[in-house]
Amino acid sequence: MILSRSRLSRKTAPAPAAGDGPAVVPRHVAIIMDGNGRWAKARHLPRVAGHRAGAEAVRRTLRASAKLGIECVTLYAFSSENWKRPEEEIADLTGLMKQFIRSELDEIHASNIRLRIIGDHRAFEPEAAAMVDEAVARTAGNTGSTLVVALNYGSQDELARAMRKLGERIQAGTLDPEAISPDLIAAELDTADLPPLDLLIRTSGEVRLSNFLLWQAAYAELFFTDTLWPDFDEACLAAAVDVYARRERRYGGR
Ligand code: IPE
Ligand code: IPE
Ligand code: MG
């Protein structure tokens, strides 16, 4: 379900016409990649087949976002609540993550993309966690776009960790509680040095954030589509970016 412009924006800006200058490309796009299980179920396949097809959609999406000139893409790959899933599914997802690093890291690195993790990937089995660490270290000096993968990420957990750090500083006497501001909190989040979130996409028809980037989404534009994640492609991303370009962002002003 693509919510129509008229339902979502209070005012509709005209589409940028050719010659009007460059279309508005969001700097930072985040995606809740949902619907792998339903995609598999519709084909009478095991859930893992849906996750495998989902990994293909990640490849396509990264290439498409590079083409569009998006500076930062954040992908919700595994939430802090996904540990509730059966062990077998968690093992399948971990295996696919390792396979993805093995098959894609060379291309990611060659494309000058910096890999970043939000959440705590150390909760995954040691070999997988180490592969993630190596991938982050190998691409750390890259200066092109940024790929952020949310692994064992939950926004409430991220905020709790940030509050704990501020609490420790208060306890140590190095922070005055009066000095706590939105900027100070933002600086303690996993996303501290990333560009502000512009566009948040969720696939599969669910209209909720599922504990993803709650703080960061304060003024992000939201885009919900019925497309299941394994079917997401360049045209879907372009459509979302096109809708974004027509939105009027007000940040509470007028
Ligand atoms: C998203 O697909 C992948 C992860 C959450 C890891 P789902 O596995 O949630 O698929 P549905 O929502 O059951 O269709
Ligand atoms: C959100 O999808 C998490 C990821 C896409 C990694 P879920 O499928 O876990 O979310 P709920 O359970 O439908 O809210
Ligand atoms: Mg789901």
Side-chain angles (χ1 to χ4, degrees):
M1 164 200 54
I2 299 176
L3 295 180
S4 69
R5 254 185 286 152
S6 53
R7 279 182 62 191
L8 271 185
S9 45
R10 286 140 297 198
K11 240 185 183 181
T12 306
D20 267 6
V24 189
V25 177
R27 285 182 73 195
H28 186 174
V29 177
I31 309 180
I32 302 175
M33 311 183 289
D34 198 15
N36 296 354
R38 278 162 282 170
W39 184 93
K41 194 174 178 191
R43 286 162 181 74
H44 307 287
L45 294 170
R47 287 181 70 86
V48 65
H51 294 315
R52 222 175 278 130
E56 286 302 321
V58 171
R59 282 185 192 99
R60 283 197 298 273
T61 302
L62 293 181
R63 286 180 192 145
S65 70
K67 259 195 193 173
L68 286 166
I70 298 167
E71 192 179 315
C72 182
V73 176
T74 298
L75 301 177
Y76 205 7
F78 195 93
S79 78
S80 50
E81 286 72 40
N82 286 148
W83 298 107
K84 293 176 188 164
R85 296 192 181 200
E87 238 174 77
E88 189 193 336
E89 183 170 359
I90 294 171
D92 286 339
L93 286 165
T94 310
L96 281 167
M97 184 168 87
K98 286 155 77 172
Q99 208 171 304
F100 189 88
I101 294 174
R102 274 189 209 105
S103 65
E104 300 306 303
L105 188 61
D106 283 348
E107 183 176 332
I108 287 172
H109 187 47
S111 306
N112 199 20
I113 296 171
R114 181 174 68 121
L115 175 68
R116 279 275 311 270
I117 304 298
I118 58 172
D120 187 3
H121 64 281
R122 291 166 305 177
F124 288 91
E125 48 103 345
E127 194 190 28
M131 283 178 74
V132 170
D133 282 332
E134 279 164 34
V136 169
R138 186 167 163 210
T139 61
N142 289 345
T143 53
S145 58
T146 303
L147 167 61
V148 184
V149 183
L151 288 176
N152 180 28
Y153 173 88
S155 202
Q156 292 177 343
D157 173 67
E158 176 191 39
L159 281 159
R161 286 186 281 110
M163 297 310 140
R164 209 174 296 141
K165 281 185 239 161
L166 294 180
E168 284 163 5
R169 281 163 62 186
I170 291 171
Q171 202 170 36
T174 56
L175 176 66
D176 177 354
E178 287 299 317
I180 295 180
S181 63
D183 282 347
L184 202 80
I185 293 170
E188 294 296 343
L189 299 178
D190 297 350
T191 52
D193 55 345
L194 299 175
L197 182 60
D198 293 315
L199 173 62
L200 193 155
I201 298 170
R202 182 172 190 145
T203 60
S204 88
E206 307 297 349
V207 186
R208 55 176 170 259
L209 296 181
S210 299
N211 204 10
F212 191 46
L213 302 177
L214 303 180
W215 174 282
Q216 296 85 345
Y219 272 101
E221 294 297 323
L222 309 181
F223 181 89
F224 297 98
T225 172
D226 280 341
T227 302
L228 301 173
W229 177 248
D231 292 324
F232 198 85
D233 61 10
E234 185 175 346
C236 298
L237 183 66
V241 166
D242 189 51
V243 167
Y244 170 85
R246 295 158 194 260
R247 297 257 180 96
E248 188 194 352
R249 302 181 78 184
R250 289 186 170 184
Y251 303 96
R254 51 171 285 183

